[in-house]
Amino acid sequence: MTDQNRDETLSAAPGDKRELMINVWYPVNPDVAKQKPKEPYPDELGEAISLVFGIPKQLFSYLTTIPTHVVQGAEISNAETKYPVLLFSPGIRSTRFQSMTAVEELVSHGYIVVGMDHPYSSAKVSFPDGRVISYTPEPEFPTSAELYENNVKGVSIRAADSRFVLDTLTTWNTQDPNGLFEGKLDLEHVGIFGHSYGGATTAETLAQDPRFKAGVSLEGGFWGTVSHTGLQQPFMYMMTGTTAESLKPSVTKKDKVFYTEFAPDLKSVMTKSQNDTYYLTVDKLFHQSFTDLALISPSLFAKNIDPVHNIDITRSYVRAFFDQYLKVEPQPLLKGASPEYPEVSFDPTYTKKRS
């Protein structure tokens, strides 16, 4: 999809317009799905893992043989007249396919999920005409303040991507060229979630656009408007225990995702927000644990936790949050500590019920 109203500021060619690639995952009739072949993970996932961890991508070529629960060419299930919509934004150097377990969980419980890739900050964006835009590394910045301002600009581009995608979905809901989504999108109940840079995209998109009614950040930053204004919508932040350690002044060896402005930004967002906020810390997880990595290679990425349980934590809390705030279905999981997930703790300072 192309945003004709925005120039591509990251392209070397003058006059280029901002282009995105998305996937729309939606509920289908199970009987229909059984008759269609399941789609495997795409090779973009292996590319992303290689880029993030510096591991040869050939080691993950097997991923394209692993089936997901996704099928193509099926009509939307008629179980509901329309479905709430969620946008998903991946981390930097990652892909919209990084968290298929969470996507499938949400879709199987009655959501339409739109996965976005953001050219130049996603790992590899392949277009239908054969063009490929790969991740463009950022320059080294001499000061933390300069890096911070660069992230403000980068997240602003992604937030504009999110708003454009919602604009497009709004058009499709009344006039879909393919006739698939007309009247099926519940645009009064739209949410957004994301991981890392995608979590930062989530927070900033919420701050800029009230059409998004709720959001979840999986260990993202707060770069932009949101760090000054807080939020008007319900918001949940999930942080891993590994990264949480870096917030302690006594810890001198900081996690690589730590930045000095995070703690004051977090305080500003959580205290200025006018709606319900949740701040959860998940022990035994590290930054990338909010993706599918625990299942992809347990020996490398789930050393201290059962890989299925790792995945269950993310998809269970994300679904519970959106079920409560978009479907208005009260969720016991959000009330506090759960014996099913002892790794998860609720911070009493930033977890506030205001509505």
Side-chain angles (χ1 to χ4, degrees):
M1 51 175 37
T2 304
D3 186 350
Q4 297 292 348
N5 295 318
R6 272 195 302 159
D7 291 332
E8 178 52 85
T9 59
L10 301 173
S11 169
D16 279 357
K17 297 299 181 181
R18 181 66 171 171
E19 294 180 278
L20 306 175
M21 283 298 296
I22 67 170
N23 273 66
V24 183
W25 294 288
Y26 53 86
V28 301
N29 188 311
D31 293 333
V32 174
K34 289 177 183 177
Q35 300 172 23
K36 293 181 175 290
K38 294 179 179 179
E39 293 288 306
Y41 278 103
D43 64 0
E44 283 93 339
L45 183 57
E47 293 264 1
I49 298 171
S50 172
L51 191 58
V52 170
F53 292 99
I55 302 173
K57 63 182 180 181
Q58 292 83 355
L59 294 178
F60 299 98
S61 60
Y62 71 92
L63 289 174
T64 57
T65 68
I66 297 177
T68 64
H69 294 89
V70 176
V71 299
Q72 287 194 4
E75 293 184 354
I76 296 178
S77 169
N78 58 7
E80 302 287 344
T81 56
K82 57 184 178 180
Y83 297 92
V85 177
L86 298 174
L87 271 60
F88 172 70
S89 178
I92 200 166
R93 297 176 295 170
S94 195
T95 169
R96 64 190 186 274
F97 305 105
Q98 70 165 57
S99 300
M100 289 305 300
T101 50
V103 169
E104 291 181 350
E105 173 78 5
L106 291 161
V107 173
S108 68
H109 286 84
Y111 292 91
I112 291 176
V113 180
V114 182
M116 304 178 290
D117 262 330
H118 308 273
Y120 301 98
S121 64
S122 287
K124 174 185 174 183
V125 184
S126 302
F127 292 94
D129 61 5
R131 289 177 300 123
V132 174
I133 297 179
S134 298
Y135 168 71
T136 301
E138 298 284 0
E140 293 290 329
F141 293 93
T143 67
S144 175
E146 289 174 275
L147 175 59
Y148 186 94
E149 287 306 312
N150 182 72
N151 285 332
V152 169
K153 294 177 183 177
V155 168
S156 177
I157 292 172
R158 280 173 160 238
D161 290 346
S162 303
R163 299 198 309 273
F164 169 64
V165 169
L166 184 52
D167 290 343
T168 303
L169 294 175
T170 302
T171 299
W172 288 355
N173 204 34
T174 56
Q175 190 175 7
D176 180 4
N178 298 311
L180 183 63
F181 298 113
E182 286 183 15
K184 297 291 187 180
L185 307 175
D186 182 358
L187 298 180
E188 294 300 314
H189 297 92
V190 177
I192 182 170
F193 70 112
H195 170 244
S196 193
Y197 218 60
T201 302
T202 292
E204 184 61 11
T205 300
L206 289 169
Q208 293 186 12
D209 195 333
R211 292 178 299 172
F212 292 88
K213 305 302 184 186
V216 177
S217 174
L218 303 171
E219 202 162 279
F222 298 101
W223 294 297
T225 304
V226 66
S227 64
H228 305 288
T229 64
L231 294 170
Q232 301 298 315
Q233 308 96 318
F235 177 66
M236 182 167 74
Y237 190 97
M238 296 182 70
M239 172 171 276
T240 64
T242 302
T243 305
E245 284 294 309
S246 296
L247 295 178
K248 298 177 180 178
S250 60
V251 175
T252 55
K253 186 179 180 181
K254 306 292 188 181
D255 191 273
K256 63 181 181 180
V257 300
F258 172 83
Y259 64 98
T260 55
E261 298 90 348
F262 176 79
D265 280 354
L266 173 68
K267 180 179 180 180
S268 176
V269 171
M270 291 303 203
T271 56
K272 292 179 180 178
S273 290
Q274 300 299 306
N275 215 309
D276 296 350
T277 55
Y278 298 83
Y279 181 66
L280 281 57
T281 301
V282 189
D283 194 21
K284 300 182 181 179
L285 268 59
F286 71 105
H287 186 63
Q288 300 295 339
S289 297
F290 290 127
T291 71
D292 287 352
L293 283 179
L295 290 182
I296 289 169
S297 183
S299 61
L300 287 177
F301 302 119
K303 295 180 180 179
N304 300 315
I305 190 171
D306 175 80
V308 175
H309 186 66
N310 179 152
I311 295 296
D312 276 343
I313 291 172
T314 303
R315 60 188 176 187
S316 297
Y317 279 90
V318 170
R319 179 167 71 87
F321 177 82
F322 286 121
D323 280 354
Q324 178 153 309
Y325 289 100
L326 295 185
K327 293 187 176 183
V328 198
E329 298 174 354
Q331 298 295 309
L333 196 59
L334 297 183
K335 292 183 177 180
S338 167
E340 190 173 359
Y341 302 109
E343 302 85 359
V344 179
S345 59
F346 287 69
D347 179 87
T349 302
Y350 294 147
T351 301
K352 297 291 185 183
K353 291 282 290 182
R354 300 178 175 91
S355 61

